[in-house]
């Protein structure tokens, strides 16, 4: 409980004070507009932080595995500058999203081909399948619209910072494949 209070006092409360004076397009401003209490705002901030850490950690692991097992990809990644390294990371995330599927309730009738799903129905969005469709967009790995991950940009940059430094270490190698004894 003391740690949560420290996070609230040092991080959340100052951000809430700033957002009360000057709203932004962010989580805290949205929660203030919804009339959330200080405890509710702290809970949401902790939830978003934990979700971001877990999913970023999983993505770092998947991206590292790809770089360890694909010599051409690793060479291209290591020779590139930051802007050029981001593309392969997005491509890995598109083909191997950390979250494969999400369940959502429809809020209005949803027309799919010849069928219409009524409001209030639970539908499963298969991100892993949708991301495999060839298109110009980076896929749905970070969500979209109201459910777009607010930390998407940070997650990609954190991954790049970690992996670019990790793979710069001399003699680095993967001892065994994930899941092997």
């Amino acid at each position: 409980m003391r740690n949560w209070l420290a996070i609230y006092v040092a991080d959340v409360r100052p951000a809430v004070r700033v957002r009360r004076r000057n709203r932004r397009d962010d989580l805290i401003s949205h929660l203030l507009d919804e009339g959330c209490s200080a405890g509710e705002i702290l809970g949401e901030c902790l939830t978003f932080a934990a979700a971001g850490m877990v999913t970023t950690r999983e993505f770092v692991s998947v991206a590292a595995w790809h770089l360890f097992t694909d010599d051409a990809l690793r060479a291209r990644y290591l020779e590139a500058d930051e802007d050029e390294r981001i593309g392969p990371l997005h491509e890995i995330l598109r083909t191997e999203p950390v979250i494969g599927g999400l369940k959502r309730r429809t809020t209005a009738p949803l027309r799919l081909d010849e069928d219409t799903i009524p409001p209030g129905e639970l539908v499963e969005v298969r991100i892993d399948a949708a991301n495999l469709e060839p298109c110009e967009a980076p896929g749905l790995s970070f969500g979209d619209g109201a459910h777009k991950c607010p930390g998407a940009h940070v997650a990609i940059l954190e991954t790049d910072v970690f992996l670019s430094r990790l793979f710069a270490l001399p003699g680095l190698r993967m001892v065994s494949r994930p899941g092997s004894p």
Side-chain angles (χ1 to χ4, degrees):
M1 182 67 152
R2 189 176 343 151
N3 291 339
W4 290 15
L5 181 59
I7 291 169
Y8 178 74
V9 170
D11 299 308
V12 176
R13 186 171 62 184
V16 168
R17 286 182 178 150
V18 169
R19 296 319 186 280
R20 283 192 197 284
R21 291 189 303 269
N22 183 23
R23 295 290 205 274
R24 298 182 187 162
D25 183 19
D26 64 9
L27 175 66
I28 293 175
S29 295
H30 170 75
L31 295 172
L32 288 170
D33 290 343
E34 293 292 313
C36 292
S37 69
E40 290 168 327
I41 293 172
L42 174 61
E44 288 296 312
C45 288
L46 291 172
T47 299
F48 273 81
M53 285 185 285
V54 169
T55 54
T56 300
R57 181 195 65 212
E58 293 301 314
F59 176 57
V60 166
S61 298
V62 168
W65 175 67
H66 278 272
L67 292 170
F68 271 120
T69 58
D70 185 333
D71 294 337
L73 176 63
R74 183 174 60 252
R76 192 173 91 225
Y77 182 80
L78 292 174
E79 292 169 3
D81 65 14
E82 180 182 302
D83 289 339
E84 294 169 328
R85 289 190 309 264
I86 299 302
L89 293 178
H90 277 290
E91 182 61 12
I92 291 169
L93 188 60
R94 183 184 71 78
T95 59
E96 301 229 24
V98 173
I99 309 271
L102 297 171
K103 292 185 178 178
R104 296 284 186 254
R105 288 211 180 271
T106 57
T107 57
L110 177 63
R111 181 120 174 116
L112 298 173
D113 297 322
E114 301 299 317
D115 297 324
T116 300
I117 300 171
E121 288 293 313
L122 188 64
V123 296
E124 184 173 11
V125 178
R126 293 302 317 172
I127 294 169
D128 49 3
N131 280 2
L132 294 180
E133 292 294 320
C135 63
E136 296 296 316
L140 297 175
S141 295
F142 285 119
D144 199 19
H147 293 283
K148 181 159 179 64
C149 173
H153 185 69
V154 173
I156 290 291
L157 291 179
E158 283 177 334
T159 300
D160 179 54
V161 166
F162 178 79
L163 292 177
S164 63
R165 283 163 179 77
L166 176 70
F167 281 93
L169 295 173
L172 183 69
R173 62 186 179 86
M174 184 169 63
V175 176
S176 64
R177 289 184 167 271
S180 63

